[in-house]
Amino acid sequence: MSSEREKMAAGDWYCCLDDELDALRVKARSAVHQHNILPPDERGSIGPLLGKLLKSAAGSAFIEAPFHCSYGLNISLGERVYLNAGCIILDSGRVEIGAGSMLGPGVHIYCADHHRDITLRGQGIERARSVLIGNDVWIGGGAIILPGVTIGDGAIVGAGSVVTKSVAPGDIVVGNPARSTGHK
């Protein structure tokens, strides 16, 4: 029998109302809290506890405060990645952000895909779907990236867009739901 954490990591349906997962979220909240309250000259580019929590973060990656993540351990940040103030990453699934990518203020990335059945959803049943962001991507402020989306290298997501489907490399998408502008 797999644990709920193992099911989550495998992308299977799991129950998020689990003691082990709750303990991981508590650990993440502590790291995020430290990051968010440390003076910038003490915090550096990423608060010490948050830096240890993340799956990986290049030395040149920078996360402005405030920031929030669910677990942290599923987040990988490449070289020169910049997350502006107010970014939220609900990382039940893998979140990879490639080198040189920039997220504007208030960008949200969601990996949790809640069950469609009302009874199961009420019991905390969900699955984790990865979000993959390529190199040199620009995501405008307030954009929302939904579970299972891949954004290709060099793409641009307009401010306030809701990205429900994957974005081709070099494409520019805007709106709700985000659609290609046809420009590159």
Side-chain angles (χ1 to χ4, degrees), residues 49-74:
L49 289 179
L50 185 57
K52 291 177 186 173
L53 183 73
L54 300 179
K55 180 175 182 178
S56 65
S60 59
F62 196 98
I63 301 176
E64 294 283 4
F67 171 75
H68 178 77
C69 63
S70 299
Y71 298 96
L73 53 89
N74 294 314

Side-chain angles (χ1 to χ4, degrees), residues 3-9 14-16 18-32 49-50 52-54 68-74 91-92:
S3 71
E4 298 307 307
R5 182 178 181 182
E6 291 168 333
K7 291 179 200 174
M8 181 178 81
Y14 68 96
C15 180
C16 65
D18 174 74
D19 290 341
E20 180 184 14
L21 294 177
D22 190 49
L24 291 171
R25 289 189 296 268
V26 167
K27 183 177 179 182
R29 283 193 298 272
S30 292
V32 164
L49 289 179
L50 185 57
K52 291 177 186 173
L53 183 73
L54 300 179
H68 178 77
C69 63
S70 299
Y71 298 96
L73 53 89
N74 294 314
D91 65 306
S92 53

